[in-house]
Structures are given as C-alpha cells and as structure tokens.
Amino acid sequence: EVQLVESGGGLVQAGGSLRLSCVASGFTFDDYAIGWFRQAPGKEREGVACIIRVDENTTYYADSVKGRFTIASDNAENTVTLQMNSLKPEDTAVYYCAADTVSYGLDPKYDYWGQGTQVTVSS
C-alpha cells in the first residue's frame, strides 16, 4: 500500500528555515513523481515544488518559492525533502507531499497524499 508520511513542520520566525521530509513506502520510489503542496486558510491547495520522476530528478518550483525552497530526493531512503529558507509569513500553510505514476507537476491531481504537516511563519 502506498503511504506517505510528512514531518518537519513547526513554528519559525520570518527569515528562518525549516526542512520538511516525506518518507514513502509501498511503491517503487524511482518510478513516481513526487510533489510538495500547501494549503493556507481560505486558499486552494497549490503546488510548491515537485520532482517529475524521482529517477530523472527533473524539478519544478512555484514562482513564489523559487530561490528559497529546494526539493531533493534520497532514493536509498525513499525520502523527498523540502528545504525552506528565507521563510515568509505567507508561507504559512499545511504542507503535503503527494505521489503518482503520472507527472502532474504542480497540479494537485496526484493519487496518493500524506497527512500534512503545519508550517507557521511569524512576523
């Protein structure tokens, strides 16, 4: 069974950093696209960063996080991380990782989702 578990969220001041992790199990990690998404109160879920295929390591980022966030995979550990630097209050959201065999990019059409982890950035 496909399972994704996020961790690493928390409270941080503006300008600080957090690293989120998504540990995957139950599927062939290298064959999947993995994405990070977030949903803030009153807003739709939006794509943050993704790896189109883990084995190819082609990545995409939302304009709002380019230069600040980095997605990376550790294939041996079946883990995808999201390093978040220079955090802003508008980054506050629940962050989710998602996986699918189809490369949806930053479109939240993925079939498999984690439970989410809260990121709160204070002013």
Side-chain angles (χ1 to χ4, degrees), residues 34-123:
I34 307 292
W36 283 99
F37 297 80
R38 66 187 182 187
Q39 188 163 20
K43 296 183 179 180
E44 295 184 350
R45 188 168 298 187
E46 63 175 345
V48 175
C50 70
I51 300 175
I52 299 301
R53 277 181 62 96
V54 172
D55 58 355
E56 295 179 356
N57 199 33
T58 301
T59 61
Y60 294 93
Y61 296 90
D63 289 342
S64 60
V65 307
K66 287 180 180 177
R68 300 189 297 121
F69 291 9
T70 302
I71 188 170
S73 65
D74 184 341
N75 295 0
E77 299 293 332
N78 285 1
T79 299
V80 172
T81 61
L82 185 69
Q83 179 66 45
M84 305 186 295
N85 299 326
S86 301
L87 283 162
K88 304 174 181 179
E90 53 261 44
D91 295 319
T92 295
V94 177
Y95 283 71
Y96 302 88
C97 66
D100 210 309
T101 56
V102 178
S103 298
Y104 290 120
L106 300 179
D107 193 350
K109 296 181 178 178
Y110 293 58
D111 284 341
Y112 306 104
W113 293 84
Q115 82 287 350
T117 185
Q118 177 71 47
V119 171
T120 302
V121 184
S122 62
S123 300

